[in-house]
Amino acid sequence: MFRKRIVTALAATTLVAAGVFTAVQAAEPSAPAIKPTASVVPAFDHIVLVMFENKKYSSINGSSSAPYFNSLAAQGAKFTNSFAITHPSQPNYVALFSGSPQGVTDDACPINLGAKANLGSQLAGAGKTFKGYSEAMPSDGYTGCSSGTYRRKHNSWVDFSNIPASANLRNSAFPSDFTQLPTVAFVTPDMCNDMHDCAVGTGDKWLKSHLDAYAQWAKTHNSLLIVTFDEDSGTSVNQIFTAFVGANVKVGSYSESINHYTVLRTIEAAYGLPGINNAASKSPITDVWQ
């Protein structure tokens, strides 16, 4: 019996060496490949973040008025426990960009925050680039509080003196050649298309029209789209819809609790940057990456 086992083992070894089968194939011929979760955030070539307005999670998730939001989230990572920081709008925009509301508690304008640390200044210090694109802003570099359907309160980067005017652009400057995008771009629709003054369906159509091409491109070009909201509809819960779509994203729903600081920390981690202000105490999101 012992001699027979030796002969059998030698025969199997010979077959493996000849490439007839592998040990894994012999033991588990139909076992699917398992992709491990990345322990770090990928170093994306480009990240585009678009912020919508004043809708609670349940107004978007599964809503027949938001078919594109939901189809887009189904192509990436949907966060079922994502939250804004506060109310009203402006401090949330400032918090996402700088890790703190910086003492801002309302929508007063103008807010001037000097050269305090922010995502744009961090990126510049690391040799990366940032640009913000605002729909309906009357001119590049504009610092006024309002014009038509544009509101400065939804444009946080203009509040910081260490962000150059050349980074404060109209949305019409968003390149059709996505390789020309900065490392990180923030996009702000106007007061109608961001759903502040208009229906969910309006914002849904705008998102598809303006960013679906980038979302599809991002999947094969080491890039990422982040879709989120500044705050919910004014409740104390402040739960919002947030989704990541792009390269290296594992499709699925994720239930960990995240907020604007978590999103900022994740963007920072993609480029090896430290967390600033309240983002410093957050761990970047790592379970959604392949």
Side-chain angles (χ1 to χ4, degrees):
M1 180 64 70
F2 181 69
R3 178 184 177 84
K4 182 177 181 180
R5 287 176 180 171
I6 293 174
V7 171
T8 301
L10 288 171
T13 302
T14 301
L15 288 170
V16 170
V20 176
F21 67 90
T22 66
V24 172
Q25 288 173 323
E28 197 71 48
S30 60
I34 299 175
K35 294 182 178 180
T37 297
S39 60
V40 296
V41 182
F44 291 106
D45 292 341
H46 307 281
I47 295 177
V48 173
L49 182 148
V50 57
M51 185 100 95
F52 290 86
E53 278 275 315
N54 296 22
K55 295 293 180 285
K56 60 185 178 181
Y57 177 79
S58 60
S59 294
I60 304 299
N61 186 55
S63 171
S64 60
S65 297
Y68 181 70
F69 271 90
N70 287 280
S71 67
L72 186 65
Q75 300 170 46
K78 179 176 72 175
F79 295 92
T80 59
N81 283 291
S82 177
F83 300 89
I85 302 301
T86 186
H87 298 295
S89 294
Q90 186 163 238
N92 286 293
Y93 284 83
V94 173
L96 179 53
F97 191 62
S98 70
S100 167
Q102 306 292 352
V104 178
T105 59
D106 55 28
D107 287 337
C109 183
I111 297 295
N112 294 299
L113 299 173
K116 293 179 179 178
N118 58 70
L119 177 60
S121 65
Q122 280 187 297
L123 288 164
K128 307 295 184 180
T129 53
F130 168 84
K131 291 180 181 178
Y133 298 88
S134 297
E135 188 178 32
M137 192 169 69
S139 60
D140 294 341
Y142 181 73
T143 59
C145 288
S146 66
S147 176
T149 53
Y150 165 80
R151 297 292 183 273
R152 173 171 162 163
K153 64 181 180 178
H154 298 158
N155 176 351
S156 54
W157 45 94
V158 75
D159 298 333
F160 294 87
S161 62
N162 51 6
I163 302 299
S166 59
N168 180 28
L169 301 174
R170 293 168 292 170
N171 195 54
S172 58
F174 192 90
S176 56
D177 176 0
F178 302 134
T179 65
Q180 299 305 305
L181 281 164
T183 311
V184 177
F186 277 22
V187 176
T188 300
D190 69 17
M191 289 287 284
C192 178
N193 291 320
D194 68 6
M195 307 184 196
H196 186 285
D197 292 346
C198 296
V200 168
T202 300
D204 189 75
K205 292 174 183 175
W206 187 95
L207 178 60
K208 182 176 183 179
S209 173
H210 286 76
L211 286 169
D212 181 67
Y214 170 76
Q216 304 313 318
W217 179 88
K219 295 176 185 179
T220 56
H221 290 83
N222 191 39
S223 296
L224 180 69
L225 173 64
I226 299 175
V227 177
T228 191
F229 284 73
D230 68 329
E231 58 178 324
D232 76 358
S233 52
T235 77
S236 59
V237 177
N238 220 353
Q239 185 180 8
I240 56 174
F241 188 93
T242 300
F244 289 5
V245 178
N248 303 308
V249 178
K250 289 196 301 181
V251 174
S253 294
Y254 295 84
S255 60
E256 67 260 45
S257 180
I258 68 168
N259 62 20
H260 291 326
Y261 299 138
T262 319
V263 172
L264 172 59
R265 184 70 197 95
T266 303
I267 296 172
E268 291 170 322
Y271 305 108
L273 302 171
I276 50 174
N277 297 316
N278 293 313
S281 63
K282 295 293 183 180
S283 297
I285 298 166
T286 58
D287 59 339
V288 304
W289 316 117
Q290 294 178 354

